[in-house]
Amino acid sequence: MAEDLTISNGSKEEKYHAIIPQIKGLLEGEHDLVANLANVAAALKEQFSWWWIGFYLVKNNELVLGPFQGPVACTRIKKGRGVCGTSWAEGKTLIVEDVEKFPGHIACSSLSRSEIVVPLIHNNEVWGVLDADSEHLAHYNEVDKLFLEQIVNLLKPE
Ligand code: SME
């Protein structure tokens, strides 16, 4: 079966409107977490060409690197550390317009300039985070928050 995505060249909203139904299609009937996280990361990378997009999962009270697209990244992040660990600790989405101005930002890649981290929440517990990084300043905004929160709601822990 062909799995080619249809990519939109429109506005940010149009891109999300194009990719979300396709992400739903990719997740439908598949319960394997790694397979689903891998396809969500790949679909977002293809649609948006972000510098880095991927997941960290809570394991033994640490965030551990999960499926991603982009350059190699740090493998473990403690609660409250960096943007990812802060999003986990606070249970909320963080938009960072300039990573150099975020105290404690963990620079996995020196080319990353802005970032959004969205917690994955199930039964009121954070079980991971989605992290997207851009090589451009102030690349992410409330539109990304709105749609990425919808996307992570499609995911469930194993
Ligand atoms: N910058 C993140 C670390 C993860 S990488 O960007 C992929 C942070 O500060 O938590």
Side-chain angles (χ1 to χ4, degrees):
M1 187 179 75
E3 296 285 1
D4 290 344
L5 295 174
T6 303
I7 297 307
S8 161
N9 292 312
S11 67
K12 188 180 269 193
E13 285 87 347
E14 285 165 346
K15 287 179 176 172
Y16 279 109
H17 282 302
I19 203 68
I20 287 177
Q22 298 183 78
I23 288 176
K24 284 183 181 162
L26 289 167
L27 299 178
E28 211 169 64
E30 178 53 68
H31 300 292
D32 187 88
L33 181 60
V34 171
N36 286 338
L37 297 179
N39 262 343
V40 170
L44 290 171
K45 177 73 174 180
E46 259 197 78
Q47 175 63 89
F48 292 100
S49 304
W50 291 329
W51 178 249
W52 196 92
I53 167 69
F55 295 91
Y56 283 88
L57 300 178
V58 176
K59 292 182 183 173
N60 298 322
N61 209 36
E62 263 186 328
L63 285 173
V64 182
L65 184 63
F68 69 96
Q69 298 269 319
V72 294
C74 0
T75 51
R76 289 171 192 271
I77 299 174
K78 294 203 184 309
K79 199 170 192 175
R81 293 288 178 84
V83 188
C84 292
T86 306
S87 171
W88 172 22
E90 295 181 0
K92 64 175 199 199
T93 297
L94 296 179
I95 298 169
V96 179
E97 296 196 339
D98 180 349
V99 295
E100 286 179 13
K101 294 190 176 139
F102 188 94
H105 169 256
I106 301 164
C108 289
S109 161
S110 58
L111 288 176
S112 171
R113 307 289 300 281
S114 62
E115 180 162 3
I116 184 168
V117 178
V118 183
L120 313 180
I121 299 174
H122 186 69
N123 290 338
N124 285 324
E125 265 201 39
V126 177
W127 58 278
V129 299
L130 175 153
D131 179 16
D133 290 62
S134 170
E135 69 274 43
H136 308 292
L137 278 175
H139 194 68
Y140 303 102
N141 58 24
E142 292 296 319
V143 174
D144 300 284
K145 176 178 187 296
L146 177 75
F147 288 109
L148 290 175
E149 286 179 355
Q150 286 177 21
I151 291 170
V152 301
N153 273 337
L154 302 170
L155 297 165
K156 283 188 192 65
E158 258 173 349

